[in-house]
Amino acid sequence: MSNIQQINRRDFVKLFGLTSTGIILGCNISSDRKKFIPTSEKDTFSPNLFVQIEKNGDVTLIASRSEMGQGIKTSLASAIADELEADWKYVKVKQAIGHEKYGNQNTDGSRSVRTRLEPMRKMGAIAKMMLISAAAKKWNVAENTCKAENHFIINTNTNDKIFFGDLVDDAAKLPVPDEKLILLKKVEDFKFIGKNLKSVDLEDFTHGTATYGIDVRIPNMKFAAIARCPVTFGTVKSFDKSDAEKVKGVERIFELERLVPPTGQFFGALGGVAVIANNTWSAFEGKQNLNIEWNYGNNHSFDTEQFQKKLTERVHKKGKLVPGSRGNVSSTFNKSKNTIEATYHVPFLVHAPMEVPNATAWFQENKIEVWAPLQDPQTARAEIAHFFNTDVHNVTVNVTFLGGGFGRKSKSDFVVEAVALSKKINAPVQVVWTREDDIQHSFYHATSVQYLKGSLDTKGNVSAWLQRVAVPSIVSSFKSMSDYASGLELNQGFTNNPYDIQNFRLESVKAEAHLRIGWLRSVVNIHSGFGNNSFVDELAFAAKKDPVQFHLDLLGKEKVIKGRSDYPFESKRLKNVLKNTAKIANWGKELPKGHGIGVAVHYSFYSYVATAVEVSVKNGKVKVENVWTTIDCGLALNKDNIKNQLEGAAIFGMSIALYGKVSVKEGAVEQHNFFDYQMTRMKDAPNIYVDIVEAMNEPSTGVGEPGVPVMAPAICNAIFNATGKRVRSLPLLDHDLV
Amino acid sequence: MSKSLSINGKSYTVNVQDDMPLLWVIRDIVGLTGTKFGCGVSQCGACSVLIDGNLTKSCSMPVSYGIGKEIFTIEGTSENLEFLRKAWNDGNVPQCGYCQSGQLIAATSLLDKNENPTDEDIDAAMSDNICRCGTYSRIRKAIHKAVELKNKSI
Ligand code: FES
Ligand code: FES
């Protein structure tokens, strides 16, 4: 019988290079397999967890990372299919459930392709080897006289061929070949990798048939909305539900306790007052009609305007020295005739993915099942097991399509809420956040204030650089008293500052958290990218030099910085993207009146990006006209998808620069919805030109995030170029520039 | 409170209060989930449908408004929508896809009224629809492409 799991755990561990066998223990792959690949017939060949071939030739590939618009389902599948020599028209892609058998599934940090490309290629290669050996046996010839091509195995001596589907029975009986025998294809032989592949989900996306979390429907399910305290971690004092109960469709109203996560892990849930109804709108209306008195708690006095003042005062005084500083900054400043200083500010930001946080859960005796748009289903699963006191193996987490994630859907708080509600009402339930909930109760991208001081020598080169950074830490969401940015956070553009400056000093400044702090597309790089590139532009102006040339000079001699990862920083690659961007932007050309051009470079998620932006300023209002971006992300797995990502990153970065600001008064977020937390729209959208560096022999690096941090500084530098006005505090909206 | 609604040429009987927004009737009661919730306050266009051919934000229209009219959603089909779908495919437009139902409906409404929209027409017609993933330049190209495909087919 063919439906036998061919892979044992040791092979699996080997293939994935998992360092800890611990995370795989207790998982019986063979018995679980049927659960995640729905086989209509038994005659299938499943050489490993990621590939299944049926007799009719259909190939089902499993995407272990979540699809949130970054095109990962298509990208991972293309890597498998390429090595398998599959015909793309037979390929279907299925989303994996959250399970340790798939290795780490956390879809964050622009690392899915970087870490999964090779293992996925191996999965395809193994399947191909087994199909080849099945065919060779049939023909009674040596395996090396056979090759795979476009869904057939071909006998190269006779030109006979056998369809993949017809080899399923025989291949399934063969042992899995040793990993050492796997031969991966050469770059020049790639059929899908490095080409332009369209999303595998286009049909669904254009017909409204893709199932997002919010579209999940379970028989007899209820819908829920939760009123949460406007002040972070405030609690319910009392509530009157009489008006809410009058709303037709409302069935139950009760208090939901806050679930506090244990130190160091998980996200918990805020708690509040829950309204259960038989449709979403009644739940929303019921919530609207609640009268609740809150205990606001410790964060009631939080005020972002005051906080910004406090941080600004602090960065103007000495902070904590960060290791990695070099030379002597203060004596160089004392000697220099030309020093400049500047203070920059980025407000709190929120992700606002088009699909609001939501989750559907069904709590049953010894069995919890959830359906949700999750970037990190394994953490959600572990978190559910923790809070509901059960083993993870009793928890099934189904990952739906994500209507955008941007870091918000890495946090499983909304899933924990759904499970708690389902447990309480004893029925399946979907909790849906309103847009106001999303904007007012998020895990926010932290605000920052940074102070920079630099000096120029007589030749106009930067002789010293001092940078003080105050940014509330993400760690604060997991551990109290985390009042300084962590080393990992600072390593996003601050400690690993690429400039070749002899005297360099970085200081970290205290910044407490009064909101839940999370990560948002490109994270701390938003701050470092803005501060570094704005200040370099200011220095270039002071030195009376061209910004592009000034940047190139600052990057200095060619150097390779090893660091602790497998991806050393190479200054020549950063210079190369900058030169290319200057070229495609026709840098130095004469611009129409009222136009200006600015540039920014940034290295993040191991990728190199340079972006030039042209703006026009008419009647005091800024319009972004053109964006030119070059990325070097190593082996470019799916070029059109990478372009789409970079175009999207430009728009996302524009939203940050033009509009992004979450402000807090008396502990409560002041913004509500898209009318006061605005987004880039079609009328604002510039022309975007993306160039991808040919680096097929370099390992693949991040794509989803690295295009974001360059946008705000490039825009502000362009505004300076056009008007002489320097914007040091985001967003432009606050300066009446949009 | 039983009402009859005609959606994509099919008739549905629903039993809901008059003021429930059409969006939620379509999604939760009728069960057509292609029309999306994004903001609930006429700010994002995710919930766009056509009512008697007019582009409407279904989150902000009570169900009573739809009675006796023809409602068209992303699950439906029309000549212009089909050309747009092809163009969306050609240009590999969507990222997460969530806003694209609304984008396609808004673009259908544009082409229904304007056979050959300029960039300015597109700005005016499509700026109510937010795409957080930022697929605007592809949407713009795809609308032009749909016009091209349509002209070729005649
Ligand atoms: S949900 Fe209707 S416009 Fe946003
Ligand atoms: S494609 Fe994601 S919001 Fe438009």
Side-chain angles (χ1 to χ4, degrees):
Chain A
M1 212 333 284
S2 61
N3 212 352
I4 300 162
Q5 181 61 34
Q6 292 284 4
I7 194 160
N8 67 34
R9 196 169 70 225
R10 216 186 46 242
D11 288 329
F12 177 80
V13 171
K14 270 199 314 206
L15 283 170
F16 274 82
L18 292 176
T19 46
S20 153
T21 46
I23 62 168
I24 210 149
L25 285 175
C27 157
N28 183 341
I29 293 163
S30 52
S31 65
D32 272 6
R33 188 172 56 81
K34 278 183 244 121
K35 281 195 206 142
F36 66 90
I37 303 179
T39 39
S40 43
E41 9 164 60
K42 286 187 171 169
D43 304 321
T44 56
F45 163 48
S46 310
N48 54 57
L49 282 162
F50 295 87
V51 183
Q52 182 195 38
I53 307 174
E54 287 172 53
K55 277 192 154 177
N56 63 5
D58 283 354
V59 174
T60 304
L61 306 176
I62 301 295
S64 59
R65 295 292 168 94
S66 304
E67 179 58 64
M68 51 187 179
Q70 84 283 41
I72 199 63
K73 276 172 72 183
T74 310
S75 297
L76 292 181
S78 74
I80 305 176
D82 205 324
E83 293 289 349
L84 176 61
E85 299 295 353
D87 182 340
W88 191 247
K89 71 169 182 270
Y90 290 103
V91 173
K92 285 196 274 248
V93 188
K94 217 178 128 19
Q95 189 70 54
I97 58 165
H99 200 288
E100 66 273 18
K101 67 191 172 188
Y102 296 112
N104 183 351
Q105 291 177 276
N106 187 0
T107 314
D108 240 320
S110 296
R111 64 182 155 217
S112 294
V113 170
R114 177 162 63 81
T115 60
R116 278 289 159 264
L117 180 59
E118 198 175 303
M120 287 306 114
R121 288 177 60 190
K122 286 182 176 168
M123 293 297 150
I126 284 185
K128 174 177 68 185
M129 288 166 78
M130 294 170 76
L131 290 166
I132 286 180
S133 59
K137 274 210 176 76
K138 249 196 173 135
W139 285 318
N140 213 352
V141 297
E143 287 177 11
N144 60 12
T145 63
C146 303
K147 65 170 187 188
E149 204 178 285
N150 213 29
H151 240 72
F152 285 89
I153 303 297
I154 296 171
N155 180 335
T156 53
N157 290 330
T158 60
N159 267 340
D160 285 347
K161 49 186 192 171
I162 311 180
F163 185 57
F164 278 7
D166 296 334
L167 290 165
V168 158
D169 277 348
D170 294 335
K173 293 187 194 109
L174 299 171
V176 176
D178 194 308
E179 195 198 354
K180 288 201 280 295
L181 299 174
I182 299 177
L183 253 179
L184 294 179
K185 287 169 78 170
K186 294 204 196 71
V187 168
E188 55 269 28
D189 296 332
F190 286 151
K191 244 170 81 188
F192 304 128
I193 296 175
K195 305 291 184 309
N196 295 301
L197 272 183
K198 286 179 186 160
S199 162
V200 291
D201 299 310
L202 281 173
E203 278 302 298
D204 282 336
F205 288 157
T206 56
H207 289 78
T209 46
T211 302
Y212 299 87
I214 202 168
D215 302 326
V216 168
R217 295 290 180 265
I218 309 288
N220 301 319
M221 71 186 252
K222 303 294 176 194
F223 296 84
I226 301 172
R228 302 169 189 82
C229 182
V231 178
T232 309
F233 303 142
T235 53
V236 178
K237 191 190 279 172
S238 64
F239 65 100
D240 169 5
K241 58 182 177 181
S242 50
D243 288 344
E245 276 173 336
K246 289 186 199 125
V247 174
K248 184 173 180 264
V250 167
E251 298 183 352
R252 281 184 73 178
I253 296 171
F254 51 86
E255 187 180 337
L256 192 69
E257 290 273 309
R258 177 177 169 210
L259 290 171
V260 184
T263 297
Q265 54 182 338
F266 303 147
F267 301 95
L270 287 172
V273 180
V275 179
I276 308 290
N278 61 18
N279 68 81
T280 315
W281 188 69
S282 293
F284 285 0
E285 278 293 289
K287 173 186 165 216
Q288 203 67 31
N289 282 289
L290 286 168
N291 289 306
I292 309 173
E293 274 205 62
W294 303 101
N295 295 309
Y296 289 122
N298 290 340
N299 295 314
H300 195 201
S301 58
F302 185 53
D303 178 308
T304 41
E305 217 176 283
Q306 297 301 322
F307 191 59
Q308 186 188 339
K309 281 199 193 118
K310 181 148 96 184
L311 295 188
T312 305
E313 276 165 28
R314 284 184 190 161
V315 295
H316 289 147
K317 296 189 193 115
K318 241 184 160 71
K320 249 186 10 191
L321 180 64
V322 176
S325 299
R326 55 187 180 266
N328 190 330
V329 166
S330 50
S331 76
T332 317
F333 285 153
N334 288 339
K335 277 183 262 160
S336 173
K337 293 208 178 61
N338 202 354
T339 61
I340 65 164
E341 42 194 325
T343 305
Y344 301 96
H345 167 246
V346 178
F348 285 100
L349 301 171
V350 67
H351 320 74
M354 281 316 290
E355 181 199 24
V356 288
N358 70 85
T360 307
W362 194 358
F363 184 100
Q364 293 163 281
E365 200 62 49
N366 278 324
K367 186 175 158 218
I368 301 172
E369 184 154 13
V370 305
W371 297 260
L374 281 168
Q375 287 176 244
D376 187 1
Q378 287 170 345
T379 296
R381 189 169 179 234
E383 174 152 15
I384 292 165
H386 165 81
F387 281 116
F388 301 94
N389 227 341
T390 187
D391 188 86
V392 284
H393 294 103
N394 298 327
V395 182
T396 306
V397 175
N398 301 284
V399 180
T400 63
F401 275 105
L402 281 69
F406 314 118
R408 177 64 186 92
K409 291 171 183 166
S410 312
K411 290 87 178 173
S412 22
D413 55 333
F414 48 93
V415 183
V416 174
E417 287 176 349
V419 178
L421 295 176
S422 176
K423 181 176 178 194
K424 174 100 181 185
I425 68 169
N426 227 334
V429 62
Q430 178 174 90
V431 64
V432 181
W433 290 39
T434 63
R435 178 60 63 194
E436 290 78 6
D437 294 338
D438 172 48
I439 287 180
Q440 299 181 342
H441 303 287
S442 192
F443 284 83
Y444 298 92
H445 169 84
T447 185
S448 74
V449 178
Q450 34 178 328
Y451 166 78
L452 279 132
K453 182 172 180 183
S455 60
L456 296 166
D457 64 19
T458 48
K459 290 197 197 103
N461 293 323
V462 182
S463 50
W465 173 288
L466 166 68
Q467 189 163 22
R468 295 197 189 114
V469 191
V471 53
S473 175
I474 290 166
V475 181
S476 64
S477 292
F478 304 100
K479 221 169 107 208
S480 56
M481 310 291 284
S482 305
D483 291 343
Y484 287 84
S486 67
L488 276 176
E489 288 170 305
L490 291 174
N491 205 35
Q492 295 197 343
F494 289 112
T495 32
N496 61 343
N497 176 319
Y499 304 127
D500 203 3
I501 302 169
Q502 261 190 356
N503 302 290
F504 176 90
R505 186 181 171 94
L506 181 67
E507 294 174 11
S508 181
V509 173
K510 185 173 177 176
E512 311 84 340
H514 298 274
L515 298 172
R516 297 194 293 178
I517 307 295
W519 48 98
L520 170 140
R521 192 175 189 177
S522 84
V523 206
V524 175
N525 291 290
I526 291 171
H527 306 297
S528 58
F530 183 56
N532 295 353
N533 283 288
S534 298
F535 196 58
V536 169
D537 205 66
E538 300 212 32
L539 288 166
F541 183 75
K544 302 191 178 60
K545 289 187 181 175
D546 173 72
V548 168
Q549 192 53 49
F550 194 76
H551 259 292
L552 289 171
D553 292 345
L554 254 182
L555 291 171
K557 298 181 292 290
E558 279 190 13
K559 59 173 185 275
V560 177
I561 302 170
K562 280 254 157 23
R564 261 173 302 173
S565 76
D566 294 341
Y567 305 88
F569 168 81
E570 298 174 62
S571 62
K572 72 162 190 274
R573 293 173 77 183
L574 196 51
K575 285 171 135 176
N576 179 42
V577 291
L578 176 55
K579 285 182 198 156
N580 189 68
T581 289
K583 193 173 96 200
I584 58 176
N586 207 352
W587 184 265
K589 73 181 167 201
E590 196 163 331
L591 298 170
K593 200 168 160 280
H595 285 224
I597 191 163
V599 71
V601 298
H602 199 73
Y603 169 72
S604 61
F605 306 96
Y606 309 111
S607 288
Y608 305 79
V609 171
T611 293
V613 171
E614 181 181 344
V615 301
S616 63
V617 187
K618 274 192 203 98
N619 304 324
K621 301 290 179 195
V622 173
K623 178 159 192 334
V624 178
E625 303 280 351
N626 293 298
V627 176
W628 298 269
T629 290
T630 310
I631 185 167
D632 177 349
C633 54
L635 188 162
L637 179 49
N638 183 356
K639 284 196 177 134
D640 190 54
N641 184 55
I642 294 170
K643 284 198 171 145
N644 209 345
Q645 285 302 301
L646 271 289
E647 289 162 14
I651 299 291
F652 198 93
M654 268 180 73
S655 294
I656 293 173
L658 272 55
Y659 306 115
K661 179 178 178 172
V662 168
S663 59
V664 178
K665 268 240 143 32
E666 292 183 4
V669 169
E670 294 186 295
Q671 288 69 26
H672 304 82
N673 205 314
F674 293 129
F675 54 82
D676 53 6
Y677 193 81
Q678 297 185 55
M679 301 275 140
T680 310
R681 291 173 183 267
M682 179 64 91
K683 64 178 167 49
D684 313 313
N687 303 310
I688 306 170
Y689 310 90
V690 178
D691 232 15
I692 303 168
V693 172
E694 284 293 334
M696 293 297 279
N697 289 309
E698 300 286 346
S700 294
T701 51
V703 165
E705 299 173 89
V708 174
V710 280
M711 282 305 291
I715 291 170
C716 293
N717 294 344
I719 294 171
F720 180 76
N721 183 248
T723 64
K725 183 180 160 64
R726 175 64 63 184
V727 179
R728 296 194 181 92
S729 143
L730 298 179
L732 300 183
L733 188 64
D734 271 4
H735 306 272
D736 231 7
L737 282 164
V738 281
Chain B
M1 285 204 293
S2 162
K3 319 175 165 52
S4 168
L5 286 177
S6 174
I7 305 176
N8 305 324
K10 224 175 127 186
S11 125
Y12 298 88
T13 306
V14 297
N15 187 352
V16 296
Q17 56 267 55
D18 289 353
D19 59 347
M20 187 187 285
L22 202 48
L23 168 67
W24 298 112
V25 178
I26 293 171
R27 286 184 53 81
D28 292 359
I29 312 296
V30 174
L32 294 173
T33 54
T35 306
K36 299 301 189 216
F37 166 70
C39 68
V41 291
S42 261
Q43 287 286 315
C44 76
C47 64
S48 299
V49 299
L50 302 181
I51 299 184
D52 279 350
N54 295 315
L55 184 59
T56 308
K57 304 213 169 48
S58 65
C59 69
S60 302
M61 274 298 169
V63 59
S64 52
Y65 177 81
I67 297 169
K69 301 193 173 85
E70 181 54 36
I71 300 165
F72 182 81
T73 72
I74 191 67
E75 286 89 354
T77 181
S78 79
E79 196 196 1
N80 282 331
L81 180 54
E82 287 311 317
F83 284 115
L84 286 160
R85 282 184 171 134
K86 275 205 197 80
W88 248 242
N89 252 284
D90 278 6
N92 196 26
V93 172
Q95 287 188 27
C96 81
Y98 192 82
C99 73
Q100 301 294 344
S101 301
Q103 305 279 4
L104 281 160
I105 293 291
T108 302
S109 162
L110 170 63
L111 293 194
D112 286 350
K113 299 195 164 86
N114 181 342
E115 281 183 0
N116 195 1
T118 61
D119 278 349
E120 289 69 45
D121 296 336
I122 293 174
D123 281 353
M126 301 299 294
S127 284
D128 277 5
N129 289 69
I130 295 175
C131 175
R132 183 60 159 153
C133 298
T135 61
Y136 299 119
S137 52
R138 284 173 187 245
I139 290 173
R140 182 191 300 284
K141 280 186 204 136
I143 292 174
H144 289 309
K145 176 85 186 192
V147 171
E148 194 190 311
L149 292 172
K150 189 173 176 184
N151 290 340
K152 263 195 217 149
S153 76
I154 308 169

